[in-house]
């Protein structure tokens, strides 16, 4: 098809529908598409937004520039599912067609109230003198109709001492009060979380101050999220500007979890434990929500750096992680693939060997590396086109390495990521390969790696190890 150029700040109108349908057909021919990850029908996808279980269905909204695999005018795309496995595309949910959102509808979350789904988002508004932060609200009814609040922007401007970079509202109810957290960049170049409160109409908000975090917050905090998990308060933040510390923070931006105690009266979050959520190359801006039975779940953006990807030529870029179930044990947050998706991996083949062939582009590998063993390298692909998982129980490290792939990387951060692991017992490993999307989980989700790979022949994967280990492979049948 003939690909058309678009100005960066173009928003979708009825005149674009025929072209976007043709572009969607074009994208559908890409050989890099996943089977069980959410990806954009066209163009570029980034942050997950408005995650919710509402009216008997899961709803995932997301940042979306439909016209090209580049950052541009952000809309909210929308997809829904009854089971977290089979998704139905609902098109554009929020189009930035109003003056107060003239440069895009940015990230935010959702909360149900009185049978309606309230969608909070940042209205991107730029001037020659910088951004003016504006927070907005749209409401979706049970028929799927989305209506913007006539009071938008519901928060206009910034408190004293802050730059125009204030965004990503996350609203939740604690007690009888509604609370909004906003990521912010203070004038002293430190990241902060701003706190607003509402008595219940969700359109009138009062500034309450900042949330005190005794940690390095970089120069900007993005995408705050809060949830109680297994009786503990969990705060998610995505700081910009953290310097690498040991094995941590080796992407341009990081995403952290904090387990502790949230005290809104004093404006403090007492941290009992904190860590990077995912140690891979391609994970950022995660958001938490509750599922059908109230279980805590999370999606993350399957992207981070802006290096070119092989899928760019097919006119799509990035996606979302699998839905992850959350739990807290010993003050540490664990995230692992939601049970609904686990049930889709069948036709298991188990051998104790050094190699196994997998004639599928979507599968799960389960294996175990014995405690105290020498370094074990597990390769996915062939000698000319592979990525590797390296497990060293003697040093207590697990690493992923993409040097064997034809993939451009951020040269400042390189081809390898690693993380410390518990080696008191055998190291349990789960690898989920979904064509060009890979998620690796260590010890049931104590640690994880998200990474994009672009094998030449993804349907003919070979898994090989440098020592004999159990290789249990099951194929995705969804």
């Amino acid at each position: 098809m003939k690909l058309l150029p678009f100005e960066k700040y173009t928003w979708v109108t009825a005149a674009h529908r025929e072209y976007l349908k043709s572009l969607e057909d074009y994208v559908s021919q890409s050989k890099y598409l996943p089977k069980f990850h959410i990806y954009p029908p066209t163009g570029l996808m980034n942050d997950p937004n408005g995650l919710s279980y509402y009216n008997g269905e899961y709803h995932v909204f997301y940042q979306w520039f439909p016209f090209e695999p580049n950052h541009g005018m952000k809309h909210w795309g929308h997809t829904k599912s009854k089971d977290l496995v089979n998704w139905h595309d609902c098109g554009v949910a929020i189009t930035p067609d109003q003056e107060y959102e003239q440069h895009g509808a940015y990230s935010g979350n959702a909360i149900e109230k009185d049978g309606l789904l309230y969608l909070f988002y940042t209205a991107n508004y730029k001037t020659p003198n910088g951004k003016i932060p504006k927070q907005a609200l749209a409401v979706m009814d049970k028929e799927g109709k989305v209506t913007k609040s006539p009071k938008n922007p519901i928060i206009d401007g910034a408190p004293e001492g802050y730059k125009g970079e204030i965004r990503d509202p996350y609203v939740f109810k604690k007690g009888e009060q509604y609370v909004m957290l906003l990521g912010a960049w203070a004038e002293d170049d430190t990241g902060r979380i701003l706190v607003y409160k509402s008595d219940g109409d969700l359109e009138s908000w009062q500034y309450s101050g900042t949330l005190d975090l005794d940690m390095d917050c970089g120069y900007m905090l993005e995408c705050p999220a809060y949830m109680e998990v297994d009786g503990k308060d969990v705060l998610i933040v995505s700081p910009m500007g953290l310097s690498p510390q040991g094995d941590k923070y080796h992407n341009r931006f990081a995403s952290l979890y904090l387990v502790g105690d949230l005290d809104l009266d004093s404006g403090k979050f007492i941290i009992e434990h904190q860590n990077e959520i995912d140690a891979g190359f391609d994970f950022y801006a995660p958001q938490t929500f509750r599922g059908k039975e109230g279980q805590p779940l999370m999606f993350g953006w399957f992207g981070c750096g802006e290096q070119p990807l092989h899928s760019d030529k097919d006119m799509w870029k990035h996606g979302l992680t699998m839905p992850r179930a959350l739990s807290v044990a010993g003050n540490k947050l664990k995230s692992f693939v939601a049970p609904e998706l686990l049930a889709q991996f069948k036709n298991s083949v188990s051998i104790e060997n050094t190699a196994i062939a997998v004639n599928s582009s979507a599968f799960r590998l389960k294996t175990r590396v014995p405690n105290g063993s020498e370094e074990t390298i597990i390769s996915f692909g062939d000698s000319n086109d592979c990525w590797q998982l390296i497990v060293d129980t003697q040093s207590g490290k697990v690493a992923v390495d993409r040097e064997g792939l034809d993939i451009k990387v951020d040269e400042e951060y390189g081809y390898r990521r690693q993380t410390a692991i518990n080696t008191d017992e055998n190291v349990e490993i789960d690898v989920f390969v979904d064509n060009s999307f890979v998620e690796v989980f260590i010890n049931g989700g104590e640690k994880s790696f998200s990474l994009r790979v672009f094998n030449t022949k993804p349907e003919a994967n070979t898994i090989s190890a440098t020592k004999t280990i159990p290789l249990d492979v099951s194929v995705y049948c969804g």
Side-chain angles (χ1 to χ4, degrees):
M1 66 173 292
K2 182 180 180 181
L3 301 176
L4 302 179
F6 286 88
E7 194 276 327
K8 181 177 181 179
Y9 291 111
T10 300
W11 48 272
V12 173
T13 68
H16 298 122
R17 288 175 184 166
E18 183 176 348
Y19 176 75
L20 287 176
K21 180 61 176 69
S22 297
L23 191 59
E24 185 174 341
D25 292 341
Y26 182 79
V27 169
S28 70
Q29 303 303 309
S30 174
K31 67 179 181 179
Y32 301 115
L33 294 175
K35 294 187 180 299
F36 55 86
H37 284 79
I38 295 172
Y39 64 93
T42 62
L44 181 141
M45 173 186 286
N46 55 307
D47 305 7
N49 296 155
L51 305 181
S52 48
Y53 184 79
Y54 168 70
N55 195 30
E57 295 177 303
Y58 288 94
H59 295 269
V60 171
F61 302 87
Y62 53 87
Q63 292 289 280
W64 186 28
F65 182 56
F67 298 110
E68 297 175 349
N70 304 302
H71 285 287
M73 186 72 135
K74 294 300 171 60
H75 301 63
W76 272 34
H78 180 203
T79 185
K80 65 181 182 179
S81 170
K82 292 185 179 297
D83 56 11
L84 290 175
V85 178
N86 302 289
W87 293 91
H88 171 71
D89 177 52
C90 302
V92 178
I94 298 177
T95 302
D97 55 4
Q98 301 299 307
E99 189 273 340
Y100 58 82
E101 56 191 3
Q102 60 182 283
H103 297 101
Y106 277 25
S107 291
N109 84 316
I111 187 169
E112 183 178 353
K113 181 178 181 290
D114 299 331
L116 299 171
L117 192 64
Y118 285 70
L119 309 173
F120 296 89
Y121 64 101
T122 294
N124 192 26
Y125 189 88
K126 297 180 180 179
T127 75
N129 298 318
K131 289 184 181 179
I132 299 176
K134 299 175 184 287
Q135 314 309 322
L137 169 65
V139 180
M140 187 174 81
D141 64 21
K142 291 185 177 181
E143 283 67 50
K145 181 181 178 181
V146 177
T147 304
K148 295 176 184 177
S149 170
K151 295 185 178 180
N152 280 340
I154 57 172
I155 300 176
D156 198 354
E160 185 176 352
Y162 288 88
K163 300 184 180 184
E165 302 290 352
I166 297 176
R167 53 182 174 266
D168 311 332
Y170 188 93
V171 174
F172 59 96
K173 189 176 184 182
K174 196 165 179 67
E176 294 304 312
Q177 194 158 52
Y178 290 91
V179 180
M180 177 190 292
L181 306 180
L182 280 166
W185 184 342
E187 289 181 350
D188 64 0
D189 290 327
T190 58
R192 305 281 177 84
I193 292 180
L194 306 185
V195 180
Y196 285 77
K197 296 180 180 179
S198 173
D199 290 331
D201 69 354
L202 299 183
E203 291 183 307
S204 302
W205 294 88
Q206 296 76 45
Y207 177 57
S208 180
T210 61
L211 189 61
D212 182 22
L213 301 176
D214 186 16
M215 57 173 279
D216 183 358
C217 296
Y219 62 79
M220 169 77 196
L221 279 181
E222 290 195 301
C223 302
Y226 164 80
M227 178 176 286
E228 185 178 306
V229 181
D230 294 330
K232 302 297 297 185
D233 289 332
V234 176
L235 184 67
I236 303 291
V237 290
S238 293
M240 306 172 77
L242 292 186
S243 299
Q245 299 177 18
D247 294 331
K248 299 177 183 177
Y249 318 144
H250 285 268
N251 285 333
R252 191 158 296 280
F253 304 125
S255 293
L256 311 183
Y257 73 81
L258 317 176
V259 173
D261 181 54
L262 173 63
D263 187 343
L264 289 170
D265 292 331
S266 66
K268 293 183 179 181
F269 190 96
I270 307 303
I271 301 172
E272 298 172 5
H273 183 77
Q274 69 182 71
N275 209 335
E276 199 168 29
I277 298 175
D278 188 286
F281 302 84
D282 299 293
F283 183 96
Y284 192 63
Q287 187 174 109
T288 57
F289 71 111
R290 295 201 178 276
K292 181 178 181 180
E293 306 298 332
Q295 70 273 36
L297 298 170
M298 177 180 71
F299 280 90
W301 175 34
F302 217 123
C304 191
E306 295 312 317
Q307 68 275 9
L309 299 179
H310 291 279
S311 59
D312 291 3
K313 64 179 177 57
D314 297 334
M315 295 301 288
W316 70 281
K317 195 183 189 87
H318 301 316
L320 302 183
T321 66
M322 292 182 286
R324 298 187 183 186
L326 302 178
S327 61
V328 171
N331 284 341
K332 296 181 180 180
L333 184 71
K334 296 178 69 173
S335 67
F336 194 67
V337 180
E340 291 88 340
L341 263 173
L342 289 178
Q344 305 302 311
F345 291 88
K346 301 176 181 178
N347 303 325
S348 177
V349 176
S350 300
I351 62 173
E352 188 90 12
N353 209 330
T354 59
I356 186 171
V358 184
N359 296 317
S360 173
S361 63
F363 62 91
R364 174 189 184 184
L365 168 70
K366 293 182 64 177
T367 189
R368 180 181 65 258
V369 176
N371 177 34
S373 62
E374 61 188 19
E375 180 182 83
T376 302
I377 301 175
I378 307 170
S379 299
F380 295 78
D382 59 41
S383 58
N384 298 316
D385 186 28
C386 75
W387 64 275
Q388 295 181 325
L389 178 65
I390 302 108
V391 184
D392 188 342
T393 63
Q394 294 181 352
S395 67
K397 303 283 186 182
V398 173
V400 292
D401 193 304
R402 296 193 296 185
E403 191 168 7
L405 293 174
D406 176 21
I407 187 169
K408 295 185 182 297
V409 300
D410 190 323
E411 294 183 1
E412 182 178 351
Y413 296 97
Y415 290 93
R416 185 183 175 109
R417 299 287 185 275
Q418 69 179 25
T419 187
I421 57 168
N422 177 15
T423 57
D424 293 340
E425 299 178 353
N426 297 336
V427 180
E428 302 291 336
I429 297 171
D430 287 87
V431 181
F432 294 84
V433 175
D434 189 10
N435 200 338
S436 62
F437 294 77
V438 174
E439 295 182 58
V440 179
F441 297 90
I442 310 299
N443 292 334
E446 289 181 3
K447 298 290 179 70
S448 64
F449 297 89
S450 297
L451 60 150
R452 296 297 303 278
V453 303
F454 294 91
N455 297 88
T456 305
K457 298 178 179 179
E459 72 287 348
N461 265 291
T462 298
I463 304 170
S464 57
T466 54
K467 58 185 294 186
T468 299
I469 56 175
L471 300 174
D472 184 335
V473 173
S474 51
V475 174
Y476 179 73
C477 299

